[in-house]
mmCIF file of all heavy atoms in Angstrom:
data_model
loop_
_atom_site.group_PDB
_atom_site.id
_atom_site.type_symbol
_atom_site.label_atom_id
_atom_site.label_comp_id
_atom_site.label_asym_id
_atom_site.label_seq_id
_atom_site.Cartn_x
_atom_site.Cartn_y
_atom_site.Cartn_z
ATOM 1 N N GLU Z 69 -15.026 -5.186 6.120
ATOM 2 C CA GLU Z 69 -13.925 -4.496 6.790
ATOM 3 C C GLU Z 69 -13.136 -3.674 5.780
ATOM 4 O O GLU Z 69 -13.144 -3.971 4.589
ATOM 5 C CB GLU Z 69 -12.983 -5.502 7.470
ATOM 6 C CG GLU Z 69 -13.608 -6.311 8.566
ATOM 7 C CD GLU Z 69 -13.893 -5.530 9.837
ATOM 8 O OE1 GLU Z 69 -13.487 -4.359 9.938
ATOM 9 O OE2 GLU Z 69 -14.515 -6.113 10.746
ATOM 10 N N TYR Z 71 -9.285 -2.090 4.914
ATOM 11 C CA TYR Z 71 -7.869 -2.317 5.183
ATOM 12 C C TYR Z 71 -7.064 -1.332 4.338
ATOM 13 O O TYR Z 71 -6.889 -1.518 3.143
ATOM 14 C CB TYR Z 71 -7.513 -3.757 4.815
ATOM 15 C CG TYR Z 71 -6.188 -4.230 5.354
ATOM 16 C CD1 TYR Z 71 -6.103 -4.782 6.618
ATOM 17 C CD2 TYR Z 71 -5.035 -4.143 4.588
ATOM 18 C CE1 TYR Z 71 -4.896 -5.247 7.114
ATOM 19 C CE2 TYR Z 71 -3.824 -4.600 5.083
ATOM 20 C CZ TYR Z 71 -3.758 -5.147 6.337
ATOM 21 O OH TYR Z 71 -2.576 -5.607 6.828
ATOM 22 N N SER Z 101 -5.082 1.651 12.257
ATOM 23 C CA SER Z 101 -4.402 0.572 12.967
ATOM 24 C C SER Z 101 -5.379 -0.463 13.518
ATOM 25 O O SER Z 101 -5.202 -1.672 13.330
ATOM 26 C CB SER Z 101 -3.549 1.146 14.096
ATOM 27 O OG SER Z 101 -2.869 0.116 14.747
ATOM 28 N N HIS Z 102 -6.440 -0.005 14.176
ATOM 29 C CA HIS Z 102 -7.401 -0.965 14.755
ATOM 30 C C HIS Z 102 -8.141 -1.735 13.673
ATOM 31 O O HIS Z 102 -8.446 -2.909 13.831
ATOM 32 C CB HIS Z 102 -8.368 -0.256 15.703
ATOM 33 C CG HIS Z 102 -9.418 0.553 15.018
ATOM 34 N ND1 HIS Z 102 -9.173 1.808 14.520
ATOM 35 C CD2 HIS Z 102 -10.709 0.272 14.735
ATOM 36 C CE1 HIS Z 102 -10.275 2.277 13.957
ATOM 37 N NE2 HIS Z 102 -11.217 1.377 14.069
ATOM 38 N N ARG Z 103 -8.408 -1.096 12.552
ATOM 39 C CA ARG Z 103 -9.087 -1.790 11.448
ATOM 40 C C ARG Z 103 -8.191 -2.899 10.891
ATOM 41 O O ARG Z 103 -8.647 -3.998 10.606
ATOM 42 C CB ARG Z 103 -9.438 -0.816 10.330
ATOM 43 C CG ARG Z 103 -10.565 0.123 10.655
ATOM 44 C CD ARG Z 103 -10.861 0.976 9.423
ATOM 45 N NE ARG Z 103 -11.873 1.960 9.673
ATOM 46 C CZ ARG Z 103 -13.175 1.726 9.578
ATOM 47 N NH1 ARG Z 103 -13.605 0.530 9.243
ATOM 48 N NH2 ARG Z 103 -14.044 2.678 9.816
ATOM 49 N N ARG Z 104 -6.917 -2.594 10.723
ATOM 50 C CA ARG Z 104 -5.976 -3.571 10.184
ATOM 51 C C ARG Z 104 -5.862 -4.776 11.114
ATOM 52 O O ARG Z 104 -5.825 -5.920 10.671
ATOM 53 C CB ARG Z 104 -4.614 -2.919 9.960
ATOM 54 C CG ARG Z 104 -4.629 -1.899 8.830
ATOM 55 C CD ARG Z 104 -3.346 -1.083 8.799
ATOM 56 N NE ARG Z 104 -2.167 -1.889 8.579
ATOM 57 C CZ ARG Z 104 -1.587 -2.082 7.390
ATOM 58 N NH1 ARG Z 104 -2.095 -1.532 6.317
ATOM 59 N NH2 ARG Z 104 -0.501 -2.813 7.287
ATOM 60 N N ILE Z 105 -5.814 -4.521 12.404
ATOM 61 C CA ILE Z 105 -5.731 -5.606 13.390
ATOM 62 C C ILE Z 105 -6.983 -6.472 13.323
ATOM 63 O O ILE Z 105 -6.914 -7.704 13.337
ATOM 64 C CB ILE Z 105 -5.513 -5.030 14.809
ATOM 65 C CG1 ILE Z 105 -4.107 -4.425 14.909
ATOM 66 C CG2 ILE Z 105 -5.729 -6.106 15.871
ATOM 67 C CD1 ILE Z 105 -3.886 -3.590 16.145
ATOM 68 N N ARG Z 106 -8.148 -5.833 13.233
ATOM 69 C CA ARG Z 106 -9.409 -6.581 13.171
ATOM 70 C C ARG Z 106 -9.463 -7.480 11.930
ATOM 71 O O ARG Z 106 -9.857 -8.647 12.003
ATOM 72 C CB ARG Z 106 -10.575 -5.586 13.185
ATOM 73 C CG ARG Z 106 -11.826 -6.169 13.746
ATOM 74 C CD ARG Z 106 -12.881 -5.152 14.068
ATOM 75 N NE ARG Z 106 -13.210 -4.317 12.940
ATOM 76 C CZ ARG Z 106 -13.529 -3.028 13.031
ATOM 77 N NH1 ARG Z 106 -13.573 -2.442 14.200
ATOM 78 N NH2 ARG Z 106 -13.828 -2.325 11.971
ATOM 79 N N VAL Z 107 -9.034 -6.945 10.797
ATOM 80 C CA VAL Z 107 -9.037 -7.743 9.562
ATOM 81 C C VAL Z 107 -8.055 -8.900 9.682
ATOM 82 O O VAL Z 107 -8.385 -10.043 9.356
ATOM 83 C CB VAL Z 107 -8.670 -6.861 8.344
ATOM 84 C CG1 VAL Z 107 -8.410 -7.718 7.111
ATOM 85 C CG2 VAL Z 107 -9.772 -5.856 8.067
ATOM 86 N N THR Z 108 -6.865 -8.606 10.163
ATOM 87 C CA THR Z 108 -5.845 -9.646 10.298
ATOM 88 C C THR Z 108 -6.313 -10.759 11.220
ATOM 89 O O THR Z 108 -6.165 -11.943 10.906
ATOM 90 C CB THR Z 108 -4.521 -9.035 10.820
ATOM 91 O OG1 THR Z 108 -4.131 -7.984 9.926
ATOM 92 C CG2 THR Z 108 -3.430 -10.076 10.888
ATOM 93 N N ARG Z 109 -6.907 -10.407 12.345
ATOM 94 C CA ARG Z 109 -7.408 -11.435 13.284
ATOM 95 C C ARG Z 109 -8.514 -12.265 12.649
ATOM 96 O O ARG Z 109 -8.556 -13.484 12.821
ATOM 97 C CB ARG Z 109 -7.910 -10.770 14.565
ATOM 98 C CG ARG Z 109 -6.784 -10.362 15.470
ATOM 99 C CD ARG Z 109 -7.293 -9.955 16.830
ATOM 100 N NE ARG Z 109 -6.174 -9.499 17.646
ATOM 101 C CZ ARG Z 109 -6.240 -8.507 18.487
ATOM 102 N NH1 ARG Z 109 -7.361 -7.850 18.671
ATOM 103 N NH2 ARG Z 109 -5.182 -8.151 19.177
ATOM 104 N N ALA Z 110 -9.422 -11.606 11.954
ATOM 105 C CA ALA Z 110 -10.521 -12.343 11.317
ATOM 106 C C ALA Z 110 -9.975 -13.347 10.308
ATOM 107 O O ALA Z 110 -10.414 -14.497 10.256
ATOM 108 C CB ALA Z 110 -11.485 -11.377 10.642
ATOM 109 N N LEU Z 111 -8.985 -12.932 9.528
ATOM 110 C CA LEU Z 111 -8.411 -13.836 8.530
ATOM 111 C C LEU Z 111 -7.601 -14.948 9.184
ATOM 112 O O LEU Z 111 -7.653 -16.097 8.752
ATOM 113 C CB LEU Z 111 -7.545 -13.043 7.545
ATOM 114 C CG LEU Z 111 -8.319 -12.056 6.666
ATOM 115 C CD1 LEU Z 111 -7.369 -11.188 5.873
ATOM 116 C CD2 LEU Z 111 -9.306 -12.774 5.762
ATOM 117 N N GLU Z 112 -6.870 -14.619 10.243
ATOM 118 C CA GLU Z 112 -6.110 -15.650 10.960
ATOM 119 C C GLU Z 112 -7.030 -16.684 11.588
ATOM 120 O O GLU Z 112 -6.688 -17.855 11.688
ATOM 121 C CB GLU Z 112 -5.239 -15.010 12.046
ATOM 122 C CG GLU Z 112 -4.017 -14.315 11.508
ATOM 123 C CD GLU Z 112 -3.240 -13.570 12.583
ATOM 124 O OE1 GLU Z 112 -3.760 -13.400 13.713
ATOM 125 O OE2 GLU Z 112 -2.118 -13.140 12.294
ATOM 126 N N ASN Z 113 -8.222 -16.249 12.024
ATOM 127 C CA ASN Z 113 -9.180 -17.156 12.651
ATOM 128 C C ASN Z 113 -10.007 -17.934 11.632
ATOM 129 O O ASN Z 113 -10.878 -18.704 12.002
ATOM 130 C CB ASN Z 113 -10.111 -16.379 13.589
ATOM 131 C CG ASN Z 113 -9.373 -15.841 14.789
ATOM 132 O OD1 ASN Z 113 -8.371 -16.403 15.214
ATOM 133 N ND2 ASN Z 113 -9.857 -14.736 15.331
ATOM 134 N N GLY Z 114 -9.759 -17.705 10.344
ATOM 135 C CA GLY Z 114 -10.447 -18.451 9.307
ATOM 136 C C GLY Z 114 -11.856 -17.971 9.010
ATOM 137 O O GLY Z 114 -12.662 -18.725 8.483
ATOM 138 N N THR Z 115 -12.158 -16.720 9.321
ATOM 139 C CA THR Z 115 -13.477 -16.169 9.024
ATOM 140 C C THR Z 115 -13.730 -16.269 7.518
ATOM 141 O O THR Z 115 -12.953 -15.778 6.716
ATOM 142 C CB THR Z 115 -13.573 -14.693 9.475
ATOM 143 O OG1 THR Z 115 -13.290 -14.642 10.863
ATOM 144 C CG2 THR Z 115 -14.950 -14.122 9.202
ATOM 145 N N ILE Z 118 -16.314 -12.848 5.038
ATOM 146 C CA ILE Z 118 -15.736 -11.523 5.156
ATOM 147 C C ILE Z 118 -15.502 -10.920 3.772
ATOM 148 O O ILE Z 118 -15.130 -11.611 2.829
ATOM 149 C CB ILE Z 118 -14.415 -11.567 5.960
ATOM 150 C CG1 ILE Z 118 -13.907 -10.149 6.245
ATOM 151 C CG2 ILE Z 118 -13.367 -12.408 5.262
ATOM 152 C CD1 ILE Z 118 -12.790 -10.101 7.270
#
Side-chain angles (χ1 to χ4, degrees):
E69 297 288 353
Y71 195 87
S101 182
H102 75 280
R103 288 183 184 275
R104 291 169 61 96
I105 291 168
R106 207 167 55 215
V107 169
T108 304
R109 283 191 183 143
L111 294 172
E112 285 174 348
N113 292 332
T115 302
I118 188 168

